[in-house]
Amino acid sequence: SVRREARRTMEASRMSGRMSGRLSRRHRVSGKLAHARPLACVAVVVVYGALSWRGFRHLFEKSPSPAVVFDFDLLVCLYFLETLGAVLFGVSTLKGWSRRHFLEHHLPLVILFLLMRWQNGETNGRALAQHKEWMALVLFISFNEACAALLVVYPSQSLDKLRVLPNILVQLALFCTETTSWFNATSTQLKLQDPDMWISTILTQFLLAAAAVHVSYFRKLVRLFEKLFLAKD
């Protein structure tokens, strides 16, 4: 009986170890993150705020200047650094973000833009020229990430609630811009049949995946808005 009890204990220990290993792997992907140091979060607020202002100015240009590409380079660099911090070091500069959020939102844009940047050189700037309005909008709505970083330094329930409605509008604007940018780029290529632009056109199809993600975010935010502001006590 003593041996049986010892075997049961060993088997239970092994099962517990396997389960904890699975849970830790899941936690590494989707678990909550520790907040970064306040100074890092303040720096992120400043950078996102500056990029948002730059994007706002680009939106009202008759023809977006080449500077929008440089500004987007800075945004992608920040996305990459934040994703690196989340995945490797378990820290986040954005309130409420998990590793999964960074892997779903930041990382795909980093990879896609690097490929588009490569194609931009191959096509003498034409690959990104057709998406400048989209880039300007993505830059402008960086105020959303700026608010999320500010909430790490200065927690405020009022600010957290108030940014829900603008965030809903952000997701809607992104969906419209991504689908429009995809349609314009794809239809233009089908008409011109430019052999140098086919790879760029294939990469453009990923804008549809981004649009689908933002539809998902939109639905979640609408439910959150209903819960915060429309639900009866």
Side-chain angles (χ1 to χ4, degrees):
S1 60
V2 175
R3 290 181 179 179
R4 289 177 182 175
E5 191 64 30
R7 288 177 182 175
R8 290 175 183 174
T9 304
M10 290 179 65
E11 289 177 0
S13 177
R14 289 174 183 172
M15 288 295 295
S16 176
R18 290 172 185 172
M19 289 299 296
S20 63
R22 291 173 185 173
L23 289 174
S24 65
R25 284 193 293 271
R26 291 178 184 175
H27 179 77
R28 284 197 295 270
V29 174
S30 61
K32 293 183 178 180
L33 302 168
H35 287 154
R37 294 182 178 181
L39 186 60
C41 294
V42 170
V44 166
V45 171
V46 172
V47 175
Y48 273 129
L51 291 174
S52 179
W53 171 246
R54 295 278 295 172
F56 178 77
R57 294 180 61 185
H58 290 313
L59 283 173
F60 290 94
E61 294 171 348
K62 290 183 178 180
S63 178
S65 66
V68 69
V69 177
F70 175 77
D71 292 336
F72 210 85
D73 286 338
L74 296 179
L75 179 68
V76 168
C77 287
L78 183 54
Y79 274 17
F80 175 74
L81 292 175
E82 286 185 313
T83 304
L84 202 64
V87 174
L88 296 184
F89 303 105
V91 296
S92 171
T93 56
L94 306 179
K95 182 182 181 298
W97 280 54
S98 66
R99 285 181 178 86
R100 187 176 298 279
H101 290 130
F102 286 102
L103 294 174
E104 284 181 353
H105 184 273
H106 278 20
L107 188 60
L109 182 60
V110 171
I111 295 173
L112 178 61
F113 188 72
L114 288 176
L115 293 172
M116 290 294 288
R117 205 70 169 87
W118 162 63
Q119 271 300 294
N120 201 50
E122 296 291 321
T123 57
N124 297 319
R126 286 178 295 160
L128 289 176
Q130 58 190 345
H131 298 302
K132 284 185 176 179
E133 289 78 9
W134 170 74
M135 288 189 289
L137 178 65
V138 173
L139 286 167
F140 170 58
I141 63 175
S142 294
F143 68 80
N144 191 38
E145 281 88 351
C147 288
L150 183 63
L151 286 168
V152 175
V153 185
Y154 300 106
S156 170
Q157 290 185 353
S158 299
L159 177 60
D160 205 8
K161 288 182 179 179
L162 286 174
R163 73 190 190 101
V164 173
L165 181 57
N167 207 351
I168 290 174
L169 299 177
V170 161
Q171 305 307 320
L172 184 60
L174 279 171
F175 171 79
C176 294
T177 308
E178 285 160 351
T179 52
T180 302
S181 190
W182 165 82
F183 177 79
N184 291 338
T186 304
S187 59
T188 299
Q189 176 59 13
L190 290 176
K191 289 179 182 178
L192 298 180
Q193 298 288 317
D194 186 346
D196 295 332
M197 293 290 289
W198 278 116
I199 295 179
S200 175
T201 304
I202 292 171
L203 293 173
T204 298
Q205 307 311 304
F206 286 97
L207 286 176
L208 291 180
V213 170
H214 288 121
V215 168
S216 174
Y217 289 165
F218 175 82
R219 294 174 63 184
K220 291 177 182 177
L221 287 164
V222 168
R223 288 195 293 267
L224 179 60
F225 181 84
E226 292 175 347
K227 181 180 178 181
L228 291 174
F229 299 103
L230 302 180
K232 296 180 180 179
D233 296 332

